[in-house]
Every structure is written in C-alpha cells, then in structure tokens.
Amino acid sequence: MTSASSPLRLLLLSTPVAPLGTGLGGGVELTLYNLATELANRGHLVRIVAPEGSQLPDASEVPIVAIAGKLQTSAQNQHYTDPVVMPPASVLGYMWDYARQVQHDYDLLVNFAYDWLPLYLTPFFQRPIAHLISMGALTAAMDAAIQQVAAAFPGTLAAHSHAQAQTFACADQFRVLGNGLDLSRYGFCAEPDHRLGWVGRLAPEKGLEDAIAVSAQTGIPLSVWGAMPDPDYWQQLQQRYPTAPIDYRGFLATEQLQQELGRCRALLMTPKWVEAFGNVAVEALACGVPVIAYRRGGPAEIVVDGETGWLVEPDQVTGLIQAVRQIEQIDRAACRRRAEAYYSMPKMGDRTEQWFREMLRETPHGTIAQTSG
Ligand code: UDP
C-alpha cells in the first residue's frame, strides 16, 4: 500500500535506440539518469532497465538491469505514415517482457521510450505505467497510441514543454514537467573565450548547418559537441563550409562537457524541429553561458529573451548573427541564477514525484497498486 509519503518502488524503462552512455539516445539519457538519481536520493527504490552495454556515470548507485537484443530505429528517421517497425529479437520487446514479469515488485513503471509498443501494452499490464514522452509528434502510429492512452489512462502522460505537448491532438492531457539538472555538476564560468558553442546529436533535425553558417559569416570559432549517428551528415557540412572555423570536440561526459561549454560566449540552438525541451540550453545556463535559440519548441520556453540569451526568428541565420553581436548585453550570472531557480534537480524531483503520486491515487491501475502492492 502506498501512502502520500511512503517510498515508491519504481522501474524506469530506458529508450531502446541505444545503450545509456553512448549519447545516441539524446537528452533522454541525461534526463533518465538525473531522475533516477534524484528519486533514489529521496528514498525511493529505483531500478533502470536499459539495453545491454548501458553505463551510468561512475558516481551512480542506481542498478541497471541490462537487456540484450536488437536496437530500435529512432523515430526521427521515420516518415509520418510509416508503419511500426520492430526487428526480430527486439530489445524493446525484451525490455517490456522483463517489465511484465517483475511488475508486481514495483508500484509504477516509467516509460522513457518514444515507441508504440509500451503505449500499446499499457492496458495489458496490472501495474500502472507513466509515459514520459521525449519528443513531439512524429508518426501517425505514435500519435494514435498516445491518444488511446490519454483516453483510457488520464494523467499518465507527461511532456517536457508546452510546445512539445501542443504537437499532439490531446495536448491538454499532458502534464508538463520541464526538466532539471544536478547543478552541482556544472561550474559557473565568468570569463569566456572568443568562441561559440553548439551541443547535440549531429543530426539534420538539430540544424547544425545554421550554427556553422554563423561561424562562417562572422569568423567566430564554433566548438561542436555531441554524438554522431551519421558521419556522412558531418562530412557534407564540412564540404559546404570548408573555411568555417569549426572544431568537433566529440561526445564528452558531463564533467568535461561543462568545463568546455562554460568557456563559450554563447550556445547556439538551431533546431529545425519542435525541440521537446533542449537539455543543453539548461546545461549552458548552468555554466553561465547565454543561449541564442530559434523561437520555437522547448528552448523558446527556457530562454528569457534579453535576460538569459536571445530568441530569434526560426531559420534566420541573420537573426542569429545579430544576436551574437548583442551577446555582451546578457549577464552571465543571471543565466546561472535562472537555472538554479527553475531547473534544479529538487524542482524536477518535486514535479515528478507529485505526478507519480497523483497517478497512483487516480488511475485504474493505481487503485490496484494501492490495494494489493
Ligand atoms: N551531451 C553529452 N555530451 C556531449 C554532447 C551532448 O552528454 O558531448 C548530451 C547533453 O548533455 C544532452 C544530450 O546530449 O543531455 C542532448 O540532448 P538534447 O535534449 O539537447 O537533445 P536531443 O538529442 O534529445 O534531441
């Protein structure tokens, strides 16, 4: 039986597109790690289920149940009307098969996958499933599955930003959780170098080409950090801007990333899609780095225009350049303060815990959890 303050037993199911620690899972990796850590620190029993080969930062004490199997293709690589595709020996299938077997050891399962299967399976489980949806609408199959869960299990869907939730027909069914970071892992840097930064998966939807165009046109060096799912894309960008002073620094662990990122004069965020949140915006702010972002998706809800960076007309490189010229107007200390006020781990932990407890009180499955758990 779970009461308003008793510890919860939580099984967190990771993305099936990549092992944790590779960066190929995108922001979900950091979000899952942070939430698991915060919830465990609050006394909850937390286990992570993730593809084989997953690693958490050394300091982590949250156990991982590693599941072998074939990885899932990212939804970003699909067309809207594509059917659901699952490989034979699917890690996603095996992860949820494991969850089915152990569900009675937990009060709540938490789904971090942007995949049809866990949504579809929800009514077949005896334990409630919380779905933290990590991207905006991308495929008809996901939209329909989300709609069905929204109708049958109200209160079980969460998104990271209002803009992300609004990409779905059932936008009002989403709880908007934002995101939070362990700010003690990010150091404030008052004196940056003369360079700009860009952080993210090197993939077309992230729009790296616009940041490179800024660097090419202004001559200001651009450092790039992130996992590289498709080396051809990076090659094409280098050929398109052969003289741009860009420097690919690889995919770094948070400790190194924040040290280097902190030395940037500004972070450029140039996504071509509705970015669900944009962890990297908050990571930059935590280091005192102002964020210049297109006015769309999560970054537009994070950046306070003129206070913690600049919001720019989407897809306008000239707007980015103008913002870069005005970057000295932004107080780096105000950026750090903003991260502390809105995006700390305790704040994220409070919002998430409240969501879980309300779910356990209100969903049909939650009733089962409370009476038989
Ligand atoms: N990241 C990292 N090391 C790097 C570059 C990126 O750990 O060198 C992480 C970063 O902390 C962030 C994630 O990669 O959590 C990118 O997530 P974001 O939400 O910005 O975008 P997504 O990839 O999910 O679209």
Side-chain angles (χ1 to χ4, degrees), residues 129-349:
I129 304 176
H131 299 276
L132 183 45
I133 304 294
S134 58
M135 294 185 279
L138 288 175
T139 65
M142 276 296 284
D143 285 4
I146 286 173
Q147 191 91 32
Q148 276 165 8
V149 166
F153 301 97
T156 65
L157 293 168
H160 293 294
S161 65
H162 295 280
Q164 178 202 356
Q166 276 153 17
T167 65
F168 298 103
C170 53
D172 57 345
Q173 295 293 315
F174 280 85
R175 178 176 288 245
V176 176
L177 281 186
N179 239 347
L181 295 180
D182 178 354
L183 294 167
S184 69
R185 298 172 80 197
Y186 299 81
F188 175 69
C189 174
E191 303 278 329
D193 301 334
H194 181 60
R195 68 171 145 127
L196 301 168
W198 189 96
V199 188
R201 284 173 298 106
L202 278 68
E205 68 272 13
K206 308 292 276 187
L208 174 55
E209 55 269 39
D210 289 6
I212 295 180
V214 171
S215 172
Q217 288 180 43
T218 60
I220 304 175
L222 176 76
S223 295
V224 174
W225 295 270
M228 197 185 288
D230 177 9
D232 285 350
Y233 171 64
W234 173 241
Q235 295 265 308
Q236 283 163 20
L237 294 184
Q238 283 177 304
Q239 280 160 16
R240 195 163 141 200
Y241 297 99
T243 58
I246 51 177
D247 177 20
Y248 175 58
R249 316 273 312 149
F251 178 79
L252 304 183
T254 301
E255 277 59 37
Q256 286 80 50
L257 175 66
Q258 63 85 26
Q259 266 180 30
E260 298 193 11
L261 174 61
R263 304 210 58 80
C264 291
R265 212 156 272 273
L267 176 76
L268 299 180
M269 289 192 75
T270 48
K272 298 286 166 184
W273 67 346
V274 176
E275 184 86 40
F277 185 72
N279 278 343
V280 302
V282 178
E283 295 184 272
L285 296 178
C287 299
V289 177
V291 179
I292 297 172
Y294 288 146
R295 193 188 297 276
R296 106 172 123 210
E301 293 173 30
I302 298 170
V303 176
V304 184
D305 194 32
E307 263 179 54
T308 61
W310 299 105
L311 291 173
V312 169
E313 183 66 26
D315 308 318
Q316 299 297 316
V317 171
T318 48
L320 296 171
I321 293 173
Q322 203 178 347
V324 167
R325 297 213 171 100
Q326 297 179 333
I327 206 64
E328 299 307 325
Q329 293 177 29
I330 306 295
D331 173 10
R332 292 174 72 92
C335 296
R336 170 79 194 188
R337 281 198 300 275
R338 181 81 192 174
E340 284 168 359
Y342 289 89
Y343 304 108
S344 69
M345 257 339 289
K347 293 227 151 57
M348 176 66 176

Side-chain angles (χ1 to χ4, degrees), residues 78-85 115-116 119 138-148:
Q78 293 178 330
H79 298 293
Y80 186 72
T81 52
D82 279 355
V84 175
V85 175
D115 285 277
W116 172 86
L119 295 155
L138 288 175
T139 65
M142 276 296 284
D143 285 4
I146 286 173
Q147 191 91 32
Q148 276 165 8

